[in-house]
Amino acid sequence: MPRAVLAVVLSAVLLGLMLGASSCGFPAAPHSSAASAPRSPGASPGLDGRVDAVFAAYDRTDSPGCALSVIEDGRIVYERGYGMANLELKVPIAPASIFDIGSTSKQFTAASIVLLEQQGALSLDDDIRKYVPEIQAARRPITLRHLLHHTSGLRDYLELMTLAGIRTEDVSTDGDALQMLARQKDTNFLPGDEHLYCNSGFFLLSIVVKRVTGQSLREFAQARIFEPLGMRATRFHDDHTKIEPGRTTGYEPLEGGGFRIDMSNFEQTGDGSVFTNVLDLARWDQNFYDPMVGGKPLLETLQTRGTLTDGTSIDYALGLYLDDYRGLRRVSHGGSWAGYRAELARFPDQRFSVACLCNLGTASPSDLAMKVADIYLADSFTRPAEEGLAAVGRDDDKAGGAQPVLTAEELAGKAGLYRDEATEEILTVKANKGRLEVTRNGEIIVFVPLTHERFRGTGGDREIEVAFDASDGRRPRRLAFEQGRGRPRSFEAVTPLALSSRQLGGYAGTYWSEEIRASYTLAVENGSLALAAPNLPTARLIPTVRDVFATDTLSLRFDRDAAKKVTGFGLGAGRIRNVRFTRSSPAGSPGG
């Protein structure tokens, strides 16, 4: 058969598989024509066109894209695919196309654990070591409830693996992740003291399910959640060799144009790895109104906020965020893994939800879903869209009226480097076109002014604010970073130290970590200290205070012996703190 003909046949077969993946029994709009999709009650004639305009950048035959379902009162009122599921075979995305939904999976893991509690097989207040005795780092009991609320203090196993040089395209099993966590000598903080998002907790919950039931999380969720709800296209993917009919390919953009494939061979579940489509997510969404699985007690437990040891309530429940968007209650969770991005957001008081799944790593389905909500719920919101804050103003207890216009000099005065003294994390603040850009853990967040000292973050699915101390025209001394209901984090303004090559040489050498079993090398290059690590780009370290260096994603606090020679360092990176490295071969003079 000629190659061209073969490609057409394969394309048709794959498209048929994707369209056939939809399960029956849920009222849905036809996927074949955007114009034929049912309209929202009372919607304007151009409603679907406005929704399509939100996805215009992806509605092409030469780009990955997204699938969308809009749900009102238990019915899909609009569904569409935009862009391509597979660029090589020219298969378009359809509502039935399958995506890896990353951390949006966590709510299914949480539901599995709650179902087991309902049947008396476990308690949310059980110590994790009752089921997973390999975890020995905890300085006081870590309960299943801590894992579910991200308050366990455990280091994030995915970040540990990244720092160890393990790539998402490498094959990684449950055993690999469990061994990594078992090697950790300490936690980020005492269980219950803080809320810090952590994939390790939900991965460990998948191990709990297996050890309690004798079934894998894939098998348990299939029997207890997905099949009862008619989610026939949904499963936990725990075998990297398994063929998944209708699966889209994940992509990342290439510099200069085009795309590359970005897929994962990790086999862990719990923290992610649910494969599904926007049609099945609508079936799950309906269970929150008409609970066929778990009954009302399941829904109440899943939507119970976490509480810290000091009584502070957080925005995170069990695999779900509970917050508000533009004045309306919202229950949601996003997902990000390899070249996939996901969002399922529900506005319970309006009985309105949006499911958006994308196969492009630079897409933001959380933003896209909220733009769709902006269209459908326009008459319900009590606050303007964040994009228009600076222009339209608003009245609330933080803004105090119309938004100020800050001069370029005022904005520039807030730019600089800010350091969290407790964790050594740094924020880089820059002024750009009347706004502030804050880089945190490699992500740039744009902030618009609410007052001269307070700014709100835009472009993300969680509300974030930063507040500078009153500076009286001088550079601020501190920055308070506020996200959701948790306690604000305080960052002090710092001026990078000026160190000579001799001083920098005192830190150079090779360092070994038994906790991640990796060797890092530090060397002086072009007047700065450079860090080289397996399968990671070389990082230029900024000296923030004595014996502390940082980048936008890493921090290193060095240790010295009685002779003041550097002996090692503790490494921090986003969701991990103080991973120990010991100097194995010094280079250069003691310096410092």
Side-chain angles (χ1 to χ4, degrees):
M1 181 181 294
R3 290 184 179 179
V5 176
L6 178 60
V8 172
V9 171
L10 287 174
S11 176
V13 170
L14 280 175
L15 179 58
L17 288 171
M18 287 182 175
L19 300 184
S22 174
S23 53
C24 302
F26 194 96
H31 61 258
S32 57
S33 170
S36 64
R39 299 183 188 278
S40 171
S44 65
L47 185 67
D48 35 0
R50 292 172 61 196
V51 172
D52 291 343
V54 171
F55 293 87
Y58 305 102
D59 197 10
R60 301 161 42 184
T61 59
D62 60 350
S63 171
C66 306
L68 169 74
S69 68
V70 181
I71 308 141
E72 282 190 333
D73 291 320
R75 181 172 179 266
I76 294 180
V77 296
Y78 194 64
E79 61 176 65
R80 260 211 66 181
Y82 306 87
M84 305 303 287
N86 185 287
L87 291 171
E88 293 169 302
L89 298 176
K90 301 188 183 302
V91 179
I93 291 173
S97 299
I98 303 297
F99 297 77
D100 183 336
I101 64 171
S103 288
T104 308
S105 310
K106 286 182 168 67
Q107 56 202 289
F108 299 108
T109 304
S112 298
I113 292 294
V114 175
L115 289 173
L116 286 173
E117 184 182 52
Q118 287 181 351
Q119 71 183 47
L122 53 75
S123 167
L124 298 189
D125 295 311
D126 286 340
D127 190 330
I128 181 60
R129 288 170 293 193
K130 178 178 179 179
Y131 309 103
V132 193
E134 294 94 326
I135 304 303
Q136 294 296 321
R139 288 169 280 166
R140 66 186 183 207
I142 296 175
T143 66
L144 305 187
R145 197 182 303 275
H146 286 138
L147 303 181
L148 289 161
H149 291 310
H150 298 296
T151 57
S152 69
L154 291 172
R155 294 165 177 163
D156 191 294
Y157 85 98
L158 293 177
E159 293 206 12
L160 291 169
M161 287 186 160
T162 297
L163 292 171
I166 300 169
R167 303 164 298 178
T168 55
E169 59 264 38
D170 296 331
V171 176
S172 174
T173 66
D174 283 358
D176 297 327
L178 197 52
Q179 289 173 22
M180 178 69 79
L181 290 173
R183 287 197 299 270
Q184 302 309 299
K185 305 301 182 185
D186 202 356
T187 56
N188 290 329
F189 50 82
L190 288 174
D193 280 3
E194 297 182 37
H195 167 75
L196 180 63
Y197 195 92
C198 176
N199 288 291
S200 299
F202 278 79
F203 160 67
L204 289 174
L205 291 171
S206 77
I207 302 299
V208 171
V209 170
K210 187 171 185 177
R211 293 183 178 179
V212 168
T213 68
Q215 295 177 294
S216 67
L217 180 57
R218 173 181 57 79
E219 294 167 329
F220 182 86
Q222 198 73 32
R224 296 293 303 277
I225 300 174
F226 302 145
E227 288 181 5
L229 293 179
M231 299 171 67
R232 299 186 181 94
T234 305
R235 78 283 295 176
F236 274 98
H237 181 76
D238 59 4
D239 178 356
H240 78 282
T241 68
K242 183 175 174 58
I243 295 172
E244 299 285 2
R247 173 170 35 168
T248 59
T249 300
Y251 295 96
E252 290 286 346
L254 287 170
E255 187 175 348
F259 304 92
R260 67 175 181 86
I261 293 173
D262 186 7
M263 306 281 279
S264 172
N265 287 323
F266 281 23
E267 294 185 341
Q268 295 85 10
T269 61
D271 56 309
S273 296
V274 165
F275 282 21
T276 190
N277 58 32
V278 296
L279 306 179
D280 271 10
L281 288 179
R283 293 176 171 84
W284 169 246
D285 180 74
Q286 182 59 21
N287 194 63
F288 282 79
Y289 301 107
D290 182 18
M292 296 175 58
V293 169
K296 290 185 178 179
L298 172 72
L299 307 185
E300 291 172 357
T301 304
L302 288 181
Q303 297 178 94
T304 300
R305 296 179 186 274
T307 303
L308 301 182
T309 304
D310 66 2
T312 301
S313 176
I314 62 175
D315 281 345
Y316 204 86
L318 277 71
L320 294 168
Y321 281 100
L322 307 181
D323 61 4
D324 74 88
Y325 174 75
R326 296 185 58 192
L328 303 183
R329 283 200 309 134
R330 177 175 63 174
V331 181
S332 65
H333 209 297
S336 172
W337 184 238
Y340 296 98
R341 300 293 182 267
E343 178 65 62
L344 175 60
R346 179 182 314 107
F347 294 85
D349 296 331
Q350 288 71 38
R351 296 180 67 89
F352 176 86
S353 303
V354 181
C356 182
L357 308 179
C358 304
N359 65 333
L360 179 60
T362 52
S364 178
S366 299
D367 284 345
L368 295 167
M370 290 307 98
K371 291 180 187 299
V372 173
D374 288 342
I375 294 170
Y376 277 85
L377 302 179
D379 295 334
S380 300
F381 293 121
T382 61
R383 292 206 325 245
E386 299 295 341
E387 292 176 322
L389 270 176
V392 304
R394 53 174 286 198
D395 294 298
D396 66 10
D397 59 338
K398 293 180 179 178
Q403 307 314 299
V405 177
L406 276 68
T407 65
E409 291 75 16
E410 287 178 305
L411 287 171
K414 302 180 190 305
L417 204 63
Y418 294 81
R419 165 180 167 262
D420 184 329
E421 298 172 76
T423 66
E424 305 300 351
E425 179 185 345
I426 65 170
L427 302 178
T428 303
V429 180
K430 296 181 180 179
N432 186 19
K433 297 180 179 178
R435 302 183 176 192
L436 291 180
E437 294 180 349
V438 178
T439 302
R440 183 191 185 203
N441 294 328
E443 177 189 6
I444 298 176
I445 309 169
V446 177
F447 287 82
V448 297
L450 298 176
T451 70
H452 281 270
E453 305 299 342
R454 182 177 288 272
F455 295 72
R456 175 165 291 155
T458 64
D461 62 340
R462 307 264 75 79
E463 186 174 280
I464 305 174
E465 292 188 7
V466 293
F468 298 87
D469 65 351
S471 54
D472 298 326
R474 298 186 299 273
R475 185 186 175 196
R477 297 179 298 276
R478 287 194 173 274
L479 175 158
F481 189 93
E482 305 176 29
Q483 185 168 9
R485 289 172 173 255
R487 293 189 299 264
R489 293 183 58 189
S490 178
F491 291 77
E492 65 168 353
V494 295
T495 301
L497 299 177
L499 299 181
S500 67
S501 294
R502 179 180 176 276
Q503 289 173 313
L504 293 172
Y507 301 98
T510 301
Y511 297 77
W512 167 258
S513 172
E514 180 58 28
E515 290 183 298
I516 65 172
R517 293 191 178 171
S519 181
Y520 284 16
T521 301
L522 297 176
V524 180
E525 296 181 3
N526 300 320
S528 63
L529 194 62
L531 183 151
N535 293 325
L536 293 173
T538 299
R540 303 287 176 178
L541 303 177
I542 301 170
T544 58
V545 296
R546 179 177 169 81
D547 286 339
V548 178
F549 289 73
T551 71
D552 286 333
T553 57
L554 300 172
S555 64
L556 285 73
R557 175 182 280 278
F558 288 88
D559 307 311
R560 293 177 183 269
D561 59 18
K564 297 187 178 181
K565 293 183 179 180
V566 171
T567 58
F569 61 80
L571 175 71
R575 297 168 184 166
I576 66 169
R577 299 176 189 171
N578 202 33
V579 172
R580 302 308 306 168
F581 280 76
T582 302
R583 196 175 198 174
S584 54
S585 60
S589 63

